Amino acid sequence: MSGHRTPRSTSAAISMLERFATIESMIEATETARNAAIARANTDADSQLEPLLLERAVIREKLEPWWTANAAELTGGKRKSTVLGGCTVGTKAGRFSLGVKDEDQAKADLQGLRWAKALLRVTTSLDRKAILTALDGKRADELKALGFSRQGGEPVFVVERVAQGGTLAGAAS
């Protein structure tokens, strides 16, 4: 936020690095305070929610047999639910799931059927870690001929606060 300029001397760079370390320490302290505040808020909310969630579950449990006994009368036998007391009460169809007795056998059976291709999913992906390892092995030349190569990581500039006693960076934390 301030007008930092590229340092022209080592002492200027050291001064800038000390400020960087102080900022890192302040960021860490702020994030720690935020996480503690979030944890306190979650604990407070959980303590307020616990009895409400329990009571809601009890009410739902007690209403289900009542609904089963009275649904036809309340809906005229024409619907699965109705609105009462500010709530929709009733039943709805659950999600369908696929039942398969023997999945491996089912896959094999479908693979043999031309019309069933759209019912099977086949995925192929490169195992990059295995290929990188293989580039050092006996198939290296063949893999290189196929266009594979090991890409060297580019150097990345690093500035990190070092936390050690007796330094400005250590004192800031």
Side-chain angles (χ1 to χ4, degrees):
M1 298 268 228
S2 65
H4 292 290
R5 296 184 180 167
T6 302
R8 294 183 183 206
S9 67
T10 301
S11 65
I14 289 172
S15 176
M16 189 176 281
L17 288 165
E18 288 173 342
R19 176 64 183 152
F20 184 92
T22 300
I23 290 169
E24 284 289 301
S25 180
M26 293 167 67
I27 289 170
E28 185 178 314
T30 301
E31 288 176 344
T32 299
R34 173 179 42 197
N35 290 339
I38 289 169
R40 282 190 306 276
N42 285 339
T43 299
D44 290 346
D46 287 347
S47 67
Q48 293 174 33
L49 284 173
E50 185 178 9
L52 297 172
L53 294 171
L54 180 61
E55 183 178 1
R56 182 182 69 178
V58 169
I59 290 171
R60 181 186 306 266
E61 180 185 323
K62 299 301 181 186
L63 283 172
E64 188 174 357
W66 169 84
W67 173 256
T68 302
N70 295 284
E73 176 187 332
L74 292 168
T75 64
K78 297 179 181 179
R79 296 190 340 235
K80 293 184 177 190
S81 64
T82 191
V83 175
L84 292 173
C87 298
T88 298
V89 61
T91 59
K92 64 180 180 177
R95 225 180 199 172
F96 288 106
S97 65
L98 180 64
V100 180
K101 191 171 189 178
D102 182 349
E103 190 164 334
D104 291 332
Q105 184 61 48
K107 288 178 196 175
D109 291 344
L110 290 173
Q111 283 176 340
L113 301 171
R114 189 184 244 188
W115 58 264
K117 285 187 178 193
L119 304 177
L120 296 171
R121 184 180 310 150
V122 178
T123 57
T124 303
S125 63
L126 297 176
D127 184 341
R128 295 180 184 282
K129 186 175 178 183
I131 294 170
L132 280 169
T133 301
L135 281 169
D136 291 331
K138 64 182 179 182
R139 299 281 186 199
D141 291 337
E142 294 165 88
L143 287 168
K144 289 175 184 173
L146 291 171
F148 291 101
S149 64
R150 181 181 309 276
Q151 302 285 316
E154 295 296 320
V156 177
F157 178 70
V158 176
V159 178
E160 297 173 340
R161 178 175 67 94
V162 177
Q164 53 186 355
T167 67
L168 183 58
S173 54

